[in-house]
Amino acid sequence: MVHALMSVSRIPTRQRIVNTALELFASKGITETTTRQIADFAQVNEVTLFRHFGNKHGLLLAVLQECLQKYLVLAQVGESLMVSDISSQSDLRRFLKYYIQSSLRALESVPELVRSLVGEAGQYPLESRQALAQGINQVNQTIATAIHDVLINSRLQYSLPPIKLANLLNTCILGYAVITLTSDVQAVWRDRDEFVSTLVDMFIQEVNPISQARPINDISAETVREILLQAKKCGAKDYAIAYLLFGAGLTALDITRLRLKDYQHQANHGILLTRDATGNERSVPLNQKILGHRYGSATNNPLSAYLKTRKNELKDLKDLKNIEEIALLILSSEGKPLSLEEIEQLWERWTQPYRNLNGSPLTIDQARHTWCLEMLSRGIDVDSFCIISGIKPNELQAYQTRLNQKLAIDKAIALDS
């Protein structure tokens, strides 16, 4: 007894109260535990408890923060032991399984605390809920860092950013724990192993090896201006196609699929509706400014000028068999559907005088690269950019890396001015 009292006396009063409250909350539940009981077991006066924590909810908040901090340390230690040893998809599976099982064991070790938290959540003051959310976010951030390192070490990529992946993973874990401790879990899952395996499989199937990133090779603003002038000299159709390449970031294949009805106007801006081979559609704004130079307005631009040249075509249409061809936005010189080969030939005609820094000829893909970098440099958010460009999130890093390179060069040049 003397030994116990000496041990208690070595622990600071506040920490002793938190430790005692955690034990009682975990064994009896929050509702059934009183502040008097906590004070008695902690060998302090109840007034001392109130002086440190204000009330029972304040004490509960301190207990939860203590649990989260301990969990945070365990998570950091666990991931540091495993991440350095991970180099494949099977290792990623092992890491996820380890983390999910460890998390469930931690939650299931305090069943009454979890049950009480669920049952009494509506009674917590706002500051307690906010503090709890902040603690959970800390855990999510720690696991997100671990997941990021695992993916890098394994040469893998995931469609979601690591923080969203961590949020989703922990939400699933917490949800299963709540179901387990408050209802008949076997009505949903046969056992915990089945849940863990299913959750791991769900995440693993969305993971892909990192492919060799293709270089992003854009074209300078001065050269783009010259290319557009060359296209303009070649005629209205050439100018319209060049405008679509640099003003909307379309591929040559996108252009061949465009129909008259796909060109619309919204709020003084031109909008193009494009579709891929499977029929998936996306809307793309047709920029009036390209790399700082204005090319008309929504209703008076290189594309609208080309369409004016086709008015007589549409009026004089008599052969209904050709209606589908005429309905295309841009036609070939012979009035037939535009082919990829013809667009490539036009591109070579406009760009023949120009070369990349390594001496290679400019490719038509570089027009799209240039448009993408311009959109990102203007400050468009990543989600919106992926929507209008059709670029997948896991392909975005190469564009962001190239943009950072350009910005770094511009800053270095500015120092010399």
Side-chain angles (χ1 to χ4, degrees):
M1 185 67 170
V2 176
H3 176 73
L5 289 173
M6 290 179 63
S7 298
V8 168
S9 65
R10 293 194 186 102
I11 303 175
T13 300
R14 189 181 192 282
Q15 187 62 51
R16 191 162 72 247
I17 296 172
V18 170
N19 293 348
T20 303
L22 175 57
E23 291 181 16
L24 292 175
F25 287 158
S27 61
K28 300 179 62 176
I30 300 169
T31 304
E32 300 302 321
T33 302
T34 66
T35 53
R36 172 61 66 84
Q37 291 170 335
I38 296 171
D40 290 344
F41 276 90
Q43 299 181 14
V44 299
N45 190 288
E46 195 173 7
V47 174
T48 303
L49 184 151
F50 292 139
R51 187 172 66 248
H52 280 283
F53 304 100
N55 53 35
K56 185 176 177 180
H57 283 300
L59 176 55
L60 174 61
L61 177 59
V63 169
L64 293 176
Q65 289 175 329
E66 176 87 1
C67 291
L68 286 171
Q69 286 302 316
K70 288 181 178 179
Y71 183 79
L72 204 58
V73 172
L74 288 173
Q76 289 172 329
V77 172
E79 63 93 358
S80 65
L81 290 174
M82 295 195 66
V83 169
S84 61
D85 190 37
I86 285 177
S87 60
S88 69
Q89 187 164 309
S90 60
D91 288 333
L92 174 61
R93 178 182 292 276
R94 181 166 57 90
F95 170 79
L96 290 172
K97 187 175 181 180
Y98 161 83
Y99 174 68
I100 296 169
Q101 289 177 332
S102 299
S103 300
L104 290 175
R105 281 196 295 268
L107 291 167
E108 291 169 354
S109 68
V110 286
E112 294 303 326
L113 179 59
V114 173
R115 293 189 185 102
S116 296
L117 283 173
V118 174
E120 299 182 24
Q123 302 175 26
Y124 304 154
L126 177 60
E127 57 269 23
S128 294
R129 297 198 299 271
Q130 290 175 334
L132 180 58
Q134 184 179 3
I136 293 173
N137 285 336
Q138 280 185 293
V139 173
N140 287 342
Q141 190 61 59
T142 298
I143 301 308
T145 301
I147 290 173
H148 173 266
D149 292 342
V150 169
L151 292 175
I152 294 298
N153 290 351
S154 306
R155 298 289 299 160
L156 299 171
Q157 59 187 1
Y158 200 87
S159 57
L160 289 176
I163 186 61
K164 289 187 178 181
L165 186 57
N167 291 345
L168 183 58
L169 186 62
N170 285 330
T171 299
C172 292
I173 292 170
L174 183 59
Y176 176 83
V178 170
I179 293 173
T180 302
L181 298 173
T182 60
S183 65
D184 181 10
V185 70
Q186 290 187 344
V188 182
W189 298 97
R190 184 173 63 248
D191 52 37
R192 188 169 70 182
D193 288 342
E194 182 188 42
F195 167 76
V196 173
S197 297
T198 303
L199 186 56
V200 170
D201 287 343
M202 183 182 75
F203 283 103
I204 289 294
Q205 69 181 3
E206 295 297 327
V207 176
N208 297 301
I210 296 177
S211 55
Q212 187 65 34
R214 57 172 181 162
I216 301 303
N217 197 4
D218 54 304
I219 304 173
S220 69
E222 296 81 3
T223 303
V224 169
R225 174 71 177 139
E226 291 297 324
I227 292 172
L228 285 163
L229 286 175
Q230 292 286 349
K232 185 177 182 180
K233 292 177 183 178
C234 292
K237 182 185 70 175
D238 290 55
Y239 198 22
I241 293 173
Y243 182 49
L244 291 176
L245 290 170
F246 288 106
L250 299 187
T251 66
L253 187 58
D254 288 333
I255 294 174
T256 64
R257 290 173 175 156
L258 287 174
R259 299 186 179 278
L260 287 169
K261 64 180 181 180
D262 296 331
Y263 179 37
Q264 304 168 357
H265 295 90
Q266 296 178 12
N268 296 322
H269 275 83
I271 303 292
L272 294 166
L273 183 65
T274 70
R275 59 187 59 79
D276 60 23
T278 61
N280 294 322
E281 298 181 343
R282 61 183 174 90
S283 295
V284 187
L286 185 55
N287 294 337
Q288 297 169 25
K289 292 180 68 176
I290 301 174
L291 296 171
H293 188 86
R294 183 172 291 278
Y295 291 84
S297 64
T299 56
N300 184 19
N301 55 58
L303 179 58
S304 64
Y306 164 72
L307 292 176
K308 287 178 183 178
T309 67
R310 295 186 55 202
K311 281 189 175 181
N312 291 335
E313 239 181 279
L314 299 174
K315 286 180 181 178
D316 296 340
L317 180 61
K318 295 180 181 179
D319 186 358
L320 294 180
K321 293 181 180 178
N322 293 332
I323 186 64
E324 289 300 320
E325 295 176 359
I326 297 297
L328 292 171
L329 185 66
I330 299 180
L331 298 176
S332 70
S333 302
E334 294 77 27
K336 300 292 183 180
L338 195 64
S339 67
L340 292 175
E341 290 74 17
E342 183 173 355
I343 295 179
E344 287 283 357
Q345 290 170 3
L346 297 178
W347 174 265
E348 290 176 6
R349 184 192 306 171
W350 315 326
T351 62
Q352 195 277 329
Y354 313 105
R355 289 289 185 274
N356 289 306
L357 293 177
N358 62 3
S360 62
L362 303 179
T363 65
I364 199 167
D365 287 343
Q366 290 180 250
R368 178 166 166 80
H369 292 176
T370 304
W371 175 83
C372 288
L373 290 175
E374 183 179 11
M375 291 298 97
L376 290 170
S377 67
R378 288 186 182 184
I380 188 172
D381 64 272
V382 170
D383 289 339
S384 298
F385 173 72
C386 290
I387 290 172
I388 66 169
S389 67
I391 290 174
K392 297 179 181 178
N394 56 20
E395 300 174 341
L396 189 61
Q397 185 59 51
Y399 289 95
Q400 292 178 321
T401 298
R402 174 57 183 154
L403 178 61
N404 290 338
Q405 292 172 347
K406 289 173 64 69
L407 294 175
I409 291 173
D410 290 342
K411 289 179 180 178
I413 292 175
L415 295 175
D416 198 37
S417 60

Coordinates of all heavy atoms in Angstrom, one line a residue, residues 318-356:
K318 N -28.1 19.9 -100.7 CA -29.2 19.2 -101.3 C -29.1 17.7 -101.2 O -30.2 17.0 -101.2 CB -29.2 19.6 -102.8 CG -29.5 21.1 -103.1 CD -29.4 21.4 -104.6 CE -29.7 22.9 -104.8 NZ -29.6 23.2 -106.2
D319 N -27.9 17.2 -101.1 CA -27.7 15.8 -101.0 C -27.8 15.3 -99.6 O -26.8 15.5 -98.8 CB -26.4 15.4 -101.7 CG -26.2 13.8 -101.7 OD1 -27.1 13.1 -101.2 OD2 -25.2 13.4 -102.2
L320 N -28.9 14.8 -99.1 CA -29.1 14.5 -97.7 C -28.1 13.4 -97.3 O -27.9 13.2 -96.1 CB -30.5 14.0 -97.5 CG -31.6 15.1 -97.6 CD1 -33.0 14.6 -97.4 CD2 -31.3 16.3 -96.7
K321 N -27.6 12.6 -98.2 CA -26.6 11.6 -97.8 C -25.4 12.2 -97.2 O -24.6 11.5 -96.5 CB -26.2 10.8 -99.1 CG -27.4 9.9 -99.6 CD -26.9 9.1 -100.8 CE -28.1 8.3 -101.4 NZ -27.7 7.5 -102.6
N322 N -25.1 13.4 -97.5 CA -23.9 14.0 -97.0 C -24.1 14.8 -95.7 O -23.3 15.5 -95.2 CB -23.3 15.0 -98.0 CG -22.8 14.3 -99.2 OD1 -22.3 13.1 -99.1 ND2 -22.8 14.9 -100.3
I323 N -25.3 14.7 -95.1 CA -25.7 15.5 -94.0 C -24.7 15.3 -92.8 O -24.3 16.2 -92.1 CB -27.1 15.3 -93.5 CG1 -27.5 16.3 -92.4 CG2 -27.3 13.8 -93.1 CD1 -27.5 17.7 -92.8
E324 N -24.3 14.0 -92.5 CA -23.4 13.7 -91.4 C -22.1 14.4 -91.6 O -21.4 14.8 -90.7 CB -23.3 12.2 -91.2 CG -24.6 11.6 -90.7 CD -25.0 12.1 -89.3 OE1 -24.1 12.4 -88.5 OE2 -26.2 12.3 -89.1
E325 N -21.6 14.4 -92.8 CA -20.3 15.0 -93.1 C -20.3 16.5 -92.9 O -19.5 17.1 -92.4 CB -19.8 14.6 -94.5 CG -19.6 13.1 -94.7 CD -19.2 12.7 -96.1 OE1 -19.2 13.6 -97.0 OE2 -18.9 11.6 -96.4
I326 N -21.4 17.1 -93.5 CA -21.5 18.5 -93.4 C -21.7 19.0 -91.9 O -21.3 20.0 -91.5 CB -22.7 19.0 -94.2 CG1 -22.5 18.7 -95.7 CG2 -23.0 20.5 -94.0 CD1 -21.3 19.4 -96.3
A327 N -22.3 18.1 -91.1 CA -22.5 18.4 -89.7 C -21.2 18.4 -88.9 O -21.2 18.9 -87.8 CB -23.5 17.4 -89.1
L328 N -20.1 17.9 -89.4 CA -18.9 18.0 -88.7 C -18.4 19.5 -88.6 O -18.7 20.3 -89.5 CB -17.8 17.2 -89.5 CG -18.0 15.7 -89.4 CD1 -17.0 15.0 -90.4 CD2 -17.8 15.1 -88.0
L329 N -17.7 19.8 -87.5 CA -17.3 21.2 -87.3 C -16.3 21.7 -88.3 O -16.4 22.8 -88.8 CB -16.7 21.3 -85.9 CG -16.4 22.7 -85.4 CD1 -17.7 23.6 -85.3 CD2 -15.6 22.7 -84.1
I330 N -15.3 20.8 -88.6 CA -14.3 21.2 -89.6 C -14.2 20.1 -90.6 O -14.1 18.9 -90.3 CB -13.0 21.4 -88.9 CG1 -13.1 22.6 -87.9 CG2 -11.9 21.7 -90.0 CD1 -11.8 22.9 -87.2
L331 N -14.2 20.4 -91.9 CA -14.1 19.5 -93.0 C -12.7 19.6 -93.7 O -12.0 20.5 -93.5 CB -15.2 19.7 -94.0 CG -16.6 19.6 -93.5 CD1 -17.6 20.0 -94.7 CD2 -16.9 18.2 -93.1
S332 N -12.4 18.5 -94.4 CA -11.1 18.5 -95.2 C -11.3 19.5 -96.4 O -12.3 20.0 -96.7 CB -10.8 17.1 -95.7 OG -11.7 16.7 -96.7
S333 N -10.2 19.6 -97.1 CA -10.2 20.5 -98.3 C -11.2 20.0 -99.3 O -11.7 20.8 -100.1 CB -8.8 20.5 -98.9 OG -7.9 21.0 -98.0
E334 N -11.5 18.7 -99.4 CA -12.4 18.2 -100.4 C -13.8 18.1 -99.8 O -14.7 17.5 -100.4 CB -12.0 16.7 -100.8 CG -10.7 16.7 -101.6 CD -9.4 16.9 -100.7 OE1 -9.5 16.5 -99.5 OE2 -8.4 17.4 -101.2
G335 N -14.1 18.7 -98.7 CA -15.4 18.7 -98.1 C -15.7 17.3 -97.4 O -16.9 17.1 -97.1
K336 N -14.7 16.5 -97.1 CA -14.9 15.2 -96.5 C -14.5 15.4 -95.0 O -14.0 16.4 -94.6 CB -14.0 14.2 -97.2 CG -14.4 14.0 -98.7 CD -15.7 13.3 -98.8 CE -16.0 13.1 -100.3 NZ -17.4 12.4 -100.5
P337 N -14.8 14.3 -94.2 CA -14.4 14.4 -92.8 C -12.9 14.6 -92.7 O -12.1 14.0 -93.5 CB -14.8 13.0 -92.3 CG -16.0 12.6 -93.1 CD -15.6 13.1 -94.5
L338 N -12.5 15.4 -91.8 CA -11.1 15.7 -91.5 C -10.4 14.5 -91.0 O -10.9 13.8 -90.1 CB -11.0 16.9 -90.6 CG -9.6 17.6 -90.4 CD1 -9.3 18.3 -91.8 CD2 -9.7 18.6 -89.3
S339 N -9.2 14.2 -91.5 CA -8.4 13.0 -91.0 C -7.3 13.4 -90.2 O -6.8 14.6 -90.2 CB -7.9 12.2 -92.2 OG -6.9 12.9 -92.9
L340 N -6.8 12.5 -89.4 CA -5.6 12.7 -88.5 C -4.4 13.1 -89.4 O -3.6 13.9 -89.1 CB -5.3 11.5 -87.7 CG -6.3 11.2 -86.5 CD1 -5.9 9.9 -85.9 CD2 -6.4 12.3 -85.5
E341 N -4.2 12.4 -90.5 CA -3.1 12.6 -91.4 C -3.1 14.0 -91.9 O -2.0 14.7 -92.0 CB -3.2 11.6 -92.6 CG -2.9 10.2 -92.2 CD -4.0 9.5 -91.5 OE1 -5.2 10.0 -91.6 OE2 -3.8 8.5 -90.9
E342 N -4.3 14.6 -92.3 CA -4.4 15.9 -92.8 C -4.0 16.9 -91.7 O -3.2 17.9 -92.0 CB -5.7 16.2 -93.3 CG -5.8 17.6 -94.0 CD -7.1 17.9 -94.7 OE1 -8.0 17.0 -94.7 OE2 -7.3 19.1 -95.1
I343 N -4.4 16.7 -90.5 CA -4.1 17.7 -89.4 C -2.6 17.6 -89.2 O -1.9 18.7 -89.0 CB -4.8 17.3 -88.1 CG1 -6.3 17.5 -88.3 CG2 -4.3 18.2 -87.0 CD1 -7.2 17.1 -87.1
E344 N -2.0 16.4 -89.2 CA -0.5 16.3 -89.1 C 0.2 17.1 -90.2 O 1.2 17.7 -89.9 CB -0.1 14.8 -89.1 CG -0.5 14.1 -87.8 CD 0.5 14.4 -86.7 OE1 1.5 15.1 -86.9 OE2 0.2 13.8 -85.6
Q345 N -0.3 17.0 -91.4 CA 0.3 17.7 -92.5 C 0.2 19.2 -92.4 O 1.2 19.9 -92.6 CB -0.3 17.2 -93.8 CG 0.0 15.8 -94.2 CD -0.9 15.3 -95.4 OE1 -1.7 16.1 -95.9 NE2 -0.7 14.0 -95.8
L346 N -0.9 19.6 -91.9 CA -1.1 21.1 -91.6 C -0.1 21.5 -90.6 O 0.5 22.6 -90.7 CB -2.5 21.4 -91.2 CG -3.6 21.1 -92.2 CD1 -5.0 21.4 -91.7 CD2 -3.4 21.9 -93.5
W347 N 0.0 20.7 -89.5 CA 0.9 21.1 -88.4 C 2.4 21.2 -88.9 O 3.1 22.2 -88.6 CB 0.9 20.0 -87.3 CG 1.9 20.2 -86.2 CD1 3.1 19.6 -86.1 CD2 1.7 21.1 -85.1 NE1 3.7 20.0 -85.0 CE2 2.9 20.9 -84.3 CE3 0.8 21.9 -84.6 CZ2 3.1 21.6 -83.1 CZ3 1.0 22.6 -83.5 CH2 2.1 22.5 -82.7
E348 N 2.8 20.3 -89.8 CA 4.1 20.3 -90.3 C 4.3 21.6 -91.2 O 5.4 22.2 -91.2 CB 4.4 19.1 -91.1 CG 4.5 17.8 -90.3 CD 4.7 16.5 -91.1 OE1 4.8 16.7 -92.4 OE2 4.7 15.4 -90.6
R349 N 3.3 22.0 -91.9 CA 3.4 23.2 -92.7 C 3.6 24.4 -91.9 O 4.4 25.3 -92.2 CB 2.1 23.3 -93.5 CG 2.1 24.5 -94.5 CD 0.7 24.7 -95.1 NE 0.1 23.5 -95.7 CZ -1.1 23.5 -96.1 NH1 -1.9 24.5 -95.9 NH2 -1.6 22.4 -96.6
W350 N 2.9 24.5 -90.8 CA 3.0 25.7 -89.9 C 4.3 25.8 -89.1 O 4.8 26.8 -88.9 CB 1.9 25.8 -88.9 CG 0.5 25.5 -89.4 CD1 -0.1 25.8 -90.6 CD2 -0.6 24.9 -88.6 NE1 -1.4 25.4 -90.7 CE2 -1.7 24.8 -89.5 CE3 -0.7 24.4 -87.3 CZ2 -2.9 24.3 -89.0 CZ3 -1.9 23.9 -86.9 CH2 -3.0 23.8 -87.8
T351 N 4.8 24.6 -88.7 CA 5.9 24.6 -87.8 C 7.2 24.2 -88.4 O 8.2 24.1 -87.7 CB 5.6 23.5 -86.7 OG1 5.5 22.2 -87.3 CG2 4.3 23.8 -85.9
Q352 N 7.3 24.1 -89.7 CA 8.5 23.7 -90.4 C 9.7 24.5 -90.1 O 10.8 24.0 -89.9 CB 8.2 23.7 -91.9 CG 9.3 22.9 -92.7 CD 10.5 23.8 -93.0 OE1 10.4 25.0 -93.1 NE2 11.7 23.1 -93.2
P353 N 9.5 25.9 -89.9 CA 10.7 26.7 -89.6 C 11.3 26.6 -88.2 O 12.3 27.0 -87.9 CB 10.2 28.1 -89.9 CG 9.0 28.0 -90.6 CD 8.4 26.7 -90.1
Y354 N 10.5 25.9 -87.3 CA 10.8 25.9 -85.9 C 11.3 24.6 -85.4 O 10.9 23.5 -85.9 CB 9.6 26.4 -85.1 CG 9.0 27.6 -85.7 CD1 7.8 27.6 -86.3 CD2 9.6 28.9 -85.6 CE1 7.2 28.7 -86.9 CE2 9.0 30.0 -86.1 CZ 7.8 29.9 -86.8 OH 7.3 31.0 -87.4
R355 N 12.1 24.6 -84.3 CA 12.7 23.4 -83.7 C 12.7 23.5 -82.2 O 12.7 24.6 -81.6 CB 14.1 23.1 -84.2 CG 14.2 22.7 -85.7 CD 13.7 21.3 -85.9 NE 13.9 20.8 -87.3 CZ 13.0 21.1 -88.3 NH1 11.9 21.8 -88.0 NH2 13.2 20.6 -89.5
N356 N 12.7 22.3 -81.6 CA 13.0 22.3 -80.1 C 14.4 22.6 -79.9 O 15.3 22.7 -80.8 CB 12.6 20.9 -79.6 CG 11.1 20.7 -79.6 OD1 10.3 21.4 -79.1 ND2 10.7 19.5 -80.2

